Structures are given as C-alpha cells and as structure tokens.
Amino acid sequence: MRRLSALVLAAALAVGLAACADPDATAAAPPAVDDTCPQASVPLTELDLVDDVRTATGPATACLASHAITPVDDRTAPQLPVTVTDSEGRTVAVTDVDRILPIDISGTIASTVFALGLGDQVVGRDSSTLFPGTEELPVVTKTGHTLNPEAILGLAPTVILTDTTIGPKEVRQQLRDAGIAVVVISGDRRLDTTDALVTEIAAALGVPSRGAELIERLDARVASVLGEIAQVTPAAPEDRARMLFLYVRGSANVYYIFGADSGADSLIDAVGGVDVASEIGWEGMKPMTAEALVAAQPDVLVMMTDGLESVGGIDGLIERIPAVAQTPAGANRRVIDMADAEILSFGPRSADVIGALARALYTAEPPQ
C-alpha cells in the first residue's frame, strides 16, 4: 500500500507542479545559511512555546537554518563496476560514475548524491534541486517535472538515478536505448524509508561505505530531533495538534488532501501531531472534498509555500475553499507552510525538516 500510494502521490505532484510552472524559468538556489531563520538552530526546548498547541493562532513558516548539504567524511573511491537490481526489477550495470544525473520530483536523490560526497560528478538537475552548489547545473526537466531527453543526452551522463515520480517512462527507456545506465530508485518517501533510499543510491554508485556513514549520521540526527520533540509533545493524545496536509495549486485548481502512506503522515507523526486525514480513513492522496475537510476538523493545516501563495495566502484559501473556515485551523488562521523543495524531501535533510516543522508548530513566535 505504501509503495502504490507514494507513486500516485508523486504523479499528482507532478501534474500540479507542471500546471503552474514556467518551463523556461530556473529558480535561484537559496543561500547556504538563512539569516531570516535564526531560531532554527536553537534547541526546541529553549524556545518560547505555545501554551496550547491545539488552540494556538496565526500562521507560521517552517524554515531551515542552512540549506547546504554536508558531505560525509568518507572518501573511499567508488568500487566499480557494480550490478544492481533497481526498484522496477531491472538488472543494471554501472561502470562509470564520472557524470551522474540524479533527478526526481523532490530533489531528494540529488541531495543524497551530494551528501555522499559525489556532488562534483553531478552534471545536471531537476527543477526541484535548489540547494547551494547546484545553481549552475543545467535543468533537464521541462513543463515542471517532465524529462527532456534532448537536454539529458546533451549532457552525456554515464549514470542516471531517478524514480517513477518523474517521466514519462518512454523517455527513461529512450535513455537506456542510448546506452546510459538508468537506475530507478524506490519512490517511497517517508521518514522510515530514508535509510533504504541511501543504501540504494550508495550501492548504485559503488560507495557502500559512504552510504553506511551517511545513514549513521542521519539516524543520529533524527533520533536527536525526535528526542527534543518528545519533550514538548503533549502526553495525552487528545491534547496533541490535529494536523492535515493540504496540497493546492490555485492556478490549476488542484486541491488534494494527503493521508495515510502519503509521506505527509510521516512528517505529522514525527512532530507529535495527529494526522486527521488518516483518522477519517484517507489513504494516499485524493482530491479534497469539503465534507472530508470539515469531518477532519484540523487544528493546523500544513501546506507548501508556493501552494499557499498560489491561492493568495490564507484569505485566498478561505475564499476558494469556504470549508476551511469551518475548521479550527481556519478559524484560528493556523496554517504552517514550508518550501516546496524541502517539506517532503526525505533524505539528508530529514532531521532538519522535522525540526523546522516542530518549531513552527510549538513555538509561540515561530520564525517567519
């Protein structure tokens, strides 16, 4: 169920993002250190917290203290050739990692390659890969998240790491036919699949020891952040924030609720919230209905920043979706937004993303 719903989720994201994207636009990468988010580096327990997470009012933006990807210390040379079985069951031989093209809908594969210390070998990027160090890389996606075969072939990659969140599959086959090693990584993006993701990518690039070091670092960081969050999470389930992930693209009239096994539920669980979409039986992602939104009665809506902006902010959201006003989140204008390229980017930044969402949820004056 998780795998299927993740693929459906990715397809919907691709449709929504493509519908509002300028195919010729290339977004600038954020600065390595975000001076507008000073509280992101302060321990959560040292911040001024809300009295009641369920009745807190006003919007908040979850942000990272740094957008940079720190590579592992291990510099063991890639052990090549390697033969791997990818997530689609294909046997792929990788003989050269000098020109790597990591592409998916969230930029997660690229961030993992950089964290493995192979960023210098990356020759191109998808439109969601925006972290520092990728600014000059050519974008090989068009109309949002559709592969551009001409652009890809022009870069002469020796190995492509991708997943089924980006396509179409006919282009992936075209690239195989051109003699390029194409490894399809699992598209299941959740907190509890991050280690497996790193293992897949590290194995395909012939750097398993680097992958092991990265996993050790990630697990330690996630455990530390989860420990901080546990100290401020209300003990009684009924006192915890009832949260719902709402995906919107106003220009395309795309409105979805993300529920169980969508990845968004993993984030909500991690910050000590109650995923109300799962509570009402919402699986994966589905087009939003007013009835479902009212039935869920969220205290907090979690959204992508560009999505919230696409409907004109909270006022525009309520105008377009009147049912929002019938929820505690709408009445309290309690909406937490986070950058589109970060909020579901499980991978090297998982701990930072969880920590940022927790600060926006529990802090009385969250960073804006």
Side-chain angles (χ1 to χ4, degrees):
M1 174 63 73
R2 285 184 178 178
R3 179 176 176 79
L4 177 60
S5 60
L7 298 182
V8 174
L9 161 64
L13 282 168
V15 170
L17 290 171
C20 67
D22 177 353
D24 298 318
T26 300
V33 176
D34 190 346
D35 294 334
T36 67
C37 196
Q39 296 189 70
S41 58
V42 179
L44 178 59
T45 52
E46 295 180 10
L47 296 172
D48 184 19
L49 306 179
V50 297
D51 294 326
D52 183 345
V53 73
R54 293 201 58 188
T55 60
T57 60
T61 295
C63 53
L64 305 183
S66 173
H67 303 274
I69 302 297
T70 303
V72 295
D73 293 328
D74 188 340
R75 285 297 183 267
T76 303
Q79 302 167 22
L80 301 172
V82 295
T83 300
V84 297
T85 301
D86 72 8
S87 68
E88 292 187 324
R90 289 185 174 84
T91 299
V92 184
V94 179
T95 61
D96 186 343
V97 296
D98 285 344
R99 299 184 64 79
I100 306 168
L101 183 58
I103 40 179
D104 65 356
I105 200 170
S106 63
T108 304
I109 296 178
S111 65
T112 304
V113 172
F114 271 73
L116 290 170
L118 295 170
D120 288 344
Q121 281 104 291
V122 174
V123 296
R125 66 181 175 95
D126 53 68
S127 56
S128 292
T129 295
L130 300 172
F131 52 85
T134 63
E135 301 92 330
E136 303 303 321
L137 293 174
V139 178
V140 297
T141 52
K142 58 183 180 180
T143 59
H145 293 272
T146 301
L147 297 175
N148 182 334
E150 293 78 14
I152 293 173
L153 291 170
L155 294 176
T158 55
V159 59
I160 295 173
L161 303 176
T162 187
D163 61 23
T164 52
T165 65
I166 197 166
K169 63 181 180 180
E170 290 80 11
V171 171
R172 293 198 295 273
Q173 187 57 50
Q174 179 183 348
L175 298 170
R176 293 187 188 98
D177 293 341
I180 302 171
V182 179
V183 181
V184 179
I185 304 299
S186 171
D188 192 359
R189 299 285 184 269
R190 300 174 55 83
L191 184 60
D192 58 6
T193 62
T194 300
D195 288 358
L197 171 74
V198 172
T199 298
E200 282 186 71
I201 295 173
L205 298 176
V207 289
S209 66
R210 298 192 192 193
E213 181 181 325
L214 180 56
I215 288 172
E216 183 178 0
R217 187 179 80 186
L218 292 177
D219 288 351
R221 284 280 298 119
V222 168
S224 176
V225 171
L226 291 179
E228 282 190 37
I229 294 172
Q231 295 181 57
V232 302
T233 300
E238 63 269 21
D239 293 333
R240 297 175 185 173
R242 295 173 55 79
M243 305 173 70
L244 182 143
F245 193 105
L246 184 62
Y247 175 83
V248 306
R249 280 298 184 266
S251 58
N253 287 320
V254 173
Y255 304 94
Y256 282 89
I257 291 174
F258 290 1
D261 298 325
S262 67
D265 58 323
S266 180
L267 289 180
I268 291 172
D269 290 344
V271 299
V274 176
D275 178 36
V276 293
S278 297
E279 189 178 71
I280 64 171
W282 212 265
E283 294 187 0
M285 50 71 55
K286 299 177 183 176
M288 184 214 71
T289 67
E291 293 77 12
L293 193 58
V294 173
Q297 285 294 291
D299 302 319
V300 182
L301 293 178
V302 181
M303 300 180 65
M304 294 181 176
T305 301
D306 288 350
L308 183 59
E309 291 177 355
S310 76
V311 292
I314 296 176
D315 289 334
L317 180 68
I318 293 173
E319 181 178 350
R320 287 175 180 247
I321 310 174
V324 169
Q326 300 177 47
T327 69
N332 291 327
R333 301 177 65 81
R334 191 64 170 147
V335 178
I336 294 175
D337 69 281
M338 189 171 190
D340 300 40
E342 294 172 350
I343 192 167
L344 290 176
S345 61
F346 296 102
R349 294 179 291 187
S350 290
D352 297 325
V353 170
I354 295 166
L357 285 173
R359 283 168 175 74
L361 178 63
Y362 292 108
T363 303
E365 295 182 2
Q368 295 291 330

mmCIF file of all heavy atoms in Angstrom, residues 44 63 130 168 254 289:
data_model
loop_
_atom_site.group_PDB
_atom_site.id
_atom_site.type_symbol
_atom_site.label_atom_id
_atom_site.label_comp_id
_atom_site.label_asym_id
_atom_site.label_seq_id
_atom_site.Cartn_x
_atom_site.Cartn_y
_atom_site.Cartn_z
ATOM 1 N N LEU A 44 14.822 23.258 20.471
ATOM 2 C CA LEU A 44 13.386 23.500 20.593
ATOM 3 C C LEU A 44 12.979 23.769 22.031
ATOM 4 O O LEU A 44 12.152 24.646 22.311
ATOM 5 C CB LEU A 44 12.630 22.290 20.036
ATOM 6 C CG LEU A 44 11.104 22.310 20.108
ATOM 7 C CD1 LEU A 44 10.543 23.505 19.350
ATOM 8 C CD2 LEU A 44 10.537 21.011 19.547
ATOM 9 N N CYS A 63 11.224 26.843 8.503
ATOM 10 C CA CYS A 63 12.402 27.168 7.703
ATOM 11 C C CYS A 63 13.633 26.490 8.281
ATOM 12 O O CYS A 63 13.684 26.139 9.456
ATOM 13 C CB CYS A 63 12.596 28.682 7.636
ATOM 14 S SG CYS A 63 12.643 29.500 9.255
ATOM 15 N N LEU A 130 17.506 22.679 -5.563
ATOM 16 C CA LEU A 130 17.760 24.113 -5.425
ATOM 17 C C LEU A 130 18.764 24.452 -4.338
ATOM 18 O O LEU A 130 18.938 25.627 -4.022
ATOM 19 C CB LEU A 130 16.439 24.850 -5.125
ATOM 20 C CG LEU A 130 15.334 24.730 -6.181
ATOM 21 C CD1 LEU A 130 14.038 25.335 -5.656
ATOM 22 C CD2 LEU A 130 15.760 25.440 -7.454
ATOM 23 N N PRO A 168 8.169 10.925 -18.829
ATOM 24 C CA PRO A 168 7.468 9.636 -18.834
ATOM 25 C C PRO A 168 8.422 8.441 -18.940
ATOM 26 O O PRO A 168 9.601 8.597 -19.248
ATOM 27 C CB PRO A 168 6.590 9.736 -20.077
ATOM 28 C CG PRO A 168 7.358 10.645 -20.985
ATOM 29 C CD PRO A 168 8.015 11.658 -20.092
ATOM 30 N N VAL A 254 -5.997 22.698 -8.429
ATOM 31 C CA VAL A 254 -5.614 21.404 -7.865
ATOM 32 C C VAL A 254 -5.697 21.509 -6.344
ATOM 33 O O VAL A 254 -5.026 22.346 -5.740
ATOM 34 C CB VAL A 254 -4.186 21.019 -8.298
ATOM 35 C CG1 VAL A 254 -3.716 19.757 -7.573
ATOM 36 C CG2 VAL A 254 -4.129 20.807 -9.802
ATOM 37 N N THR A 289 -12.365 17.143 -0.661
ATOM 38 C CA THR A 289 -13.794 17.446 -0.644
ATOM 39 C C THR A 289 -14.076 18.287 0.591
ATOM 40 O O THR A 289 -13.397 18.136 1.622
ATOM 41 C CB THR A 289 -14.666 16.177 -0.597
ATOM 42 O OG1 THR A 289 -14.476 15.505 0.667
ATOM 43 C CG2 THR A 289 -14.323 15.226 -1.742
#
